[in-house]
Amino acid sequence: MNRTDKHSSSKRKGISLILALLALVALVGGFILFNPFGKQTSSDKKDTSSSSNASSKEVKEVKYEPSQEEKEYLANRFAQLTSVNPEAIAYVYAPGTELDEPVVQTGDNATYLDKTFEGGNQPLLGTVFMDTDNKKDFSDRLTWLFGHARGSQVEDHRMFNDVNFYDNQEYFNQHPYVVIETPERKYYYEAMGLVIVPETTAFYRTSFSDDEDFTTQLKNIYESARTKNPNIKINASDKYLVLSTCREEDETIRSNLYLRQIPDSEMKDFLAKHGDQLNYVATRGQE
């Protein structure tokens, strides 16, 4: 082989080596790029990390958990109530007032207009009862409780008589809270406003087609209220309670006190701030 042949051979070998190196680089690059075994790439890790951080920032639903003391108190309370009347579902009181009553629910909205909690039949006495279409655990958007305003017509003037006093703004401001006890837990409410309406008011509803339907009615009620809480903000996600009673001066009209349920997410702060104002003091059956 001459020198020219040797030179050509060396040149071909060099080119072959370069091509082999380029092929190897391409192979490694392709392996990394296409990652056939599904191993997480650095960009995948970055995306997953971002997703994980976003998830950790999501607000978890806060659920109120009654203390052991509260559970024992309620167990004793309802053992006594249901031994007298098995249709007892709740107890309602408004701190600082004489509103202090057991609550029942049955298959209609007429029986307990005259039937007492103990089982007697006495017109104008009756028992506080929940609307038959409401859920007994107070989970509806709007829950109705009905009770007589006994006033001067009967010896025991309590029940929902004090609801009528909420037509005075000073009284309204001084008694802003209502407590509902159920066998499972307590619920706390703040007064929103009191409306005085005809017995056949269109405000009387237990279901709504959507959020707008619900909030529109509440806003109309708030605007119509004789007395109101200026700090209330109406939200579709909140639940409300109505204490409904008659007016002694006119049997065809009603006082409806609307109250907003304190959501579980606000419960800790609410109890820390107002706990001393919510204690139960018995007035029912006492003179």
Side-chain angles (χ1 to χ4, degrees):
M1 180 181 294
N2 61 31
R3 196 168 69 174
T4 304
D5 292 335
K6 288 181 180 179
H7 178 75
S8 298
S9 177
S10 298
K11 186 175 181 181
R12 284 196 297 272
K13 288 181 180 179
I15 292 171
S16 298
L17 180 60
I18 292 171
L19 290 174
L21 287 173
L22 288 174
L24 179 62
V25 170
L27 178 64
V28 173
F31 180 83
I32 293 172
L33 179 63
F34 293 107
N35 196 8
F37 299 110
K39 187 175 180 181
Q40 206 173 47
T41 65
S42 59
S43 64
D44 289 335
K45 289 180 180 178
K46 184 176 180 181
D47 290 343
T48 302
S49 175
S50 300
S51 177
S52 175
N53 289 337
S55 297
S56 65
K57 292 179 181 179
E58 289 180 4
V59 179
K60 293 183 178 180
E61 183 180 352
V62 178
K63 183 172 177 58
Y64 172 73
E65 291 294 340
S67 65
Q68 188 60 36
E69 181 183 9
E70 181 174 321
K71 290 178 181 178
E72 292 174 0
Y73 164 80
L74 293 173
N76 291 329
R77 164 79 98 180
F78 283 92
Q80 296 176 34
L81 291 174
T82 55
S83 68
V84 177
N85 189 326
E87 292 188 305
I89 61 165
Y91 203 94
V92 57
Y93 66 90
T97 77
E98 293 187 336
L99 198 167
D100 176 19
E101 296 288 330
V103 180
V104 297
Q105 186 185 45
T106 192
D108 59 63
N109 287 343
T111 298
Y112 281 100
L113 290 172
D114 297 333
K115 184 179 179 180
T116 66
F117 185 73
E118 293 75 19
N121 192 281
Q122 299 181 56
L124 299 178
L125 288 178
T127 309
V128 173
F129 62 93
M130 178 187 284
D131 189 282
T132 190
D133 292 328
N134 279 131
K135 298 183 184 70
K136 64 178 65 178
D137 63 357
F138 292 83
S139 62
D140 287 320
R141 282 182 149 183
L142 190 63
T143 299
W144 288 79
L145 299 185
F146 301 97
H148 289 297
R150 292 171 174 169
S152 61
Q153 298 183 54
V154 292
E155 183 178 353
D156 184 350
H157 64 276
R158 292 175 176 83
M159 195 173 277
F160 275 6
N161 193 57
D162 286 11
V163 170
N164 281 314
F165 300 157
Y166 280 81
D167 66 1
N168 177 282
Q169 189 66 51
E170 184 178 0
Y171 187 94
F172 184 105
N173 295 342
Q174 290 174 349
H175 308 92
Y177 305 119
V178 166
V179 182
I180 294 286
E181 298 175 346
T182 73
E184 293 77 29
R185 58 169 290 181
K186 294 183 181 182
Y187 293 96
Y188 301 93
Y189 294 82
E190 59 180 342
M192 181 184 94
L194 178 118
V195 291
I196 298 176
V197 293
E199 181 180 6
T200 56
T201 175
F203 287 154
Y204 172 66
R205 297 169 65 188
T206 57
S207 61
F208 301 86
S209 58
D210 52 32
D211 288 353
E212 184 178 2
D213 184 26
F214 179 59
T215 55
T216 296
Q217 170 156 315
L218 286 177
K219 289 174 182 177
N220 288 338
I221 288 164
Y222 188 76
E223 290 300 317
S224 305
R226 178 172 295 194
T227 54
K228 63 186 69 177
N229 179 347
N231 300 316
I232 284 285
K233 293 182 179 179
I234 295 170
N235 295 310
S237 60
D238 285 338
K239 297 179 176 65
Y240 295 81
L241 173 70
V242 186
L243 306 183
S244 181
T245 194
C246 50
R247 303 280 295 187
E248 190 171 7
E249 72 273 18
D250 187 342
E251 294 183 357
T252 68
I253 59 176
R254 298 287 182 268
S255 284
N256 290 341
L257 178 63
Y258 284 76
L259 305 109
R260 171 185 177 262
Q261 186 183 104
I262 304 301
D264 285 1
S265 60
E266 299 176 18
M267 190 73 78
K268 184 177 179 181
D269 291 341
F270 176 78
L271 292 176
K273 185 175 182 179
H274 303 293
D276 292 341
Q277 298 172 256
L278 305 169
N279 294 331
Y280 174 70
V281 178
T283 63
R284 186 173 186 264
Q286 299 181 14
E287 294 295 341

